Amino acid sequence: MAGQLDGRRIIVTGGAQGIGAAVVAGYVAEGARVAALDRQFGTAGTTPDNIVRRHCDVADRAGVTTVFDEVVGLLGGLDVLVNVAGVERGGPSDDIPDADWDAVFDVNAKGTRNTNAAAFTHLKANGGAIINFGSRSGIVGVPQQAAYSASKAAVHVWTRAVAQEWAPYNITVNAVAPAMWTGMYDDYRGRLNAEELAQHDAMMSAQIPIGGKLGEPTRDLVPLLVFLAGDGAHFISGQSFPVDGGWLHMR
């Protein structure tokens, strides 16, 4: 049976674990050829099961360009970029270390620029889709996560800006704001003491209408990403899509 993305050539950053790995698997299952990029992969990489794996630091602009050129050649072209790669740092907003501020902006904001620009080079002749990863934090702001919130706000505004700029090239640019249970979320929970964790879980239960907790990437997020990478989303651009059980209401 044909998949929804048969023949699509897709790059997924942050593809080694968590949401990124789920997206890679979901795309391959729908018939796409996928290049999974991540800092965790070895420099050489392998190509099993229709997946090209390569080392890539999205904060390194020259490195991104080099890797994109290589994997686009291996895929035989490019139709879709999904930029999942991201990092999170938390703590009191009045004392954010420069290293933490720089880390989240280098990967989340600069990495979005680097990967999107590299993809544009390969998409502008025939069109395609770019899907960025924003966050609820970048829309409403979250206490103790000011640097992360600011970096993800940059992702959402960048997405809206380049969606307009690149529309004449038949390139759609959208963002998702997922509320998924990942290793990054486990790290956040690990910084909370027992009382804070209990309060956090009670808050999540009260505020997320569907299920009262974060979603599962393969079940709850991948189906939207498959749609946004396919033909059915050709007239949708410049949007931010919350995938969070009804937690955030966009206006």
Side-chain angles (χ1 to χ4, degrees):
M1 180 179 294
Q4 297 181 65
L5 300 176
D6 275 358
R8 284 289 199 281
R9 298 153 302 181
I10 303 176
I11 292 176
V12 179
T13 71
Q17 62 182 3
I19 289 175
V23 173
V24 170
Y27 281 166
V28 170
E30 292 295 340
R33 291 201 67 210
V34 180
L37 311 182
D38 202 291
R39 289 190 297 190
Q40 295 188 35
F41 291 140
T43 302
T46 57
T47 58
D49 303 325
N50 229 23
I51 303 171
V52 175
R53 292 183 173 88
R54 290 293 185 271
H55 174 87
C56 183
D57 179 356
V58 298
D60 176 4
R61 189 172 193 174
V64 167
T65 299
T66 298
V67 174
F68 272 52
D69 288 347
E70 178 192 1
V71 300
V72 169
L74 292 170
L75 295 175
L78 182 65
D79 300 298
V80 181
L81 163 68
V82 185
N83 184 44
V84 183
V87 297
E88 183 266 346
R89 301 287 188 275
S93 299
D94 61 311
D95 191 26
I96 300 171
D98 285 350
D100 286 356
W101 183 271
D102 291 344
V104 296
F105 270 86
D106 281 351
V107 174
N108 299 346
K110 189 186 295 184
T112 298
R113 179 204 66 179
N114 293 346
T115 58
N116 286 201
F120 173 75
T121 299
H122 297 282
L123 294 173
K124 63 183 179 181
N126 298 304
I130 295 173
I131 306 166
N132 290 318
F133 266 62
S135 171
R136 175 181 179 274
S137 300
I139 297 171
V140 302
V142 173
Q144 302 285 317
Q145 289 187 309
Y148 179 75
S149 296
S151 71
K152 288 298 188 177
V155 172
H156 288 290
V157 176
W158 164 276
T159 295
R160 292 193 287 272
V162 297
Q164 299 174 71
E165 185 175 341
W166 296 345
Y169 299 93
N170 199 30
I171 298 170
T172 62
V173 189
N174 291 292
V176 294
M180 299 292 123
W181 197 301
T182 65
M184 187 182 295
Y185 180 55
D186 283 328
D187 291 342
Y188 169 74
R189 293 174 64 86
R191 294 196 298 268
L192 305 179
N193 61 38
E195 181 179 356
E196 291 169 336
L197 185 59
Q199 292 173 347
H200 173 76
D201 285 345
M203 179 271 293
M204 298 292 273
S205 180
Q207 293 192 5
I208 299 180
I210 300 175
K213 61 181 180 180
L214 298 185
E216 196 284 314
T218 298
R219 179 192 66 202
D220 301 321
L221 177 61
V222 169
L224 174 64
L225 295 176
V226 169
F227 169 73
L228 290 175
D231 291 336
H234 77 279
F235 203 55
I236 300 171
S237 196
Q239 305 303 310
S240 294
F241 294 92
V243 188
D244 60 7
W247 191 8
L248 175 66
H249 300 282
M250 296 291 290
R251 293 178 176 84

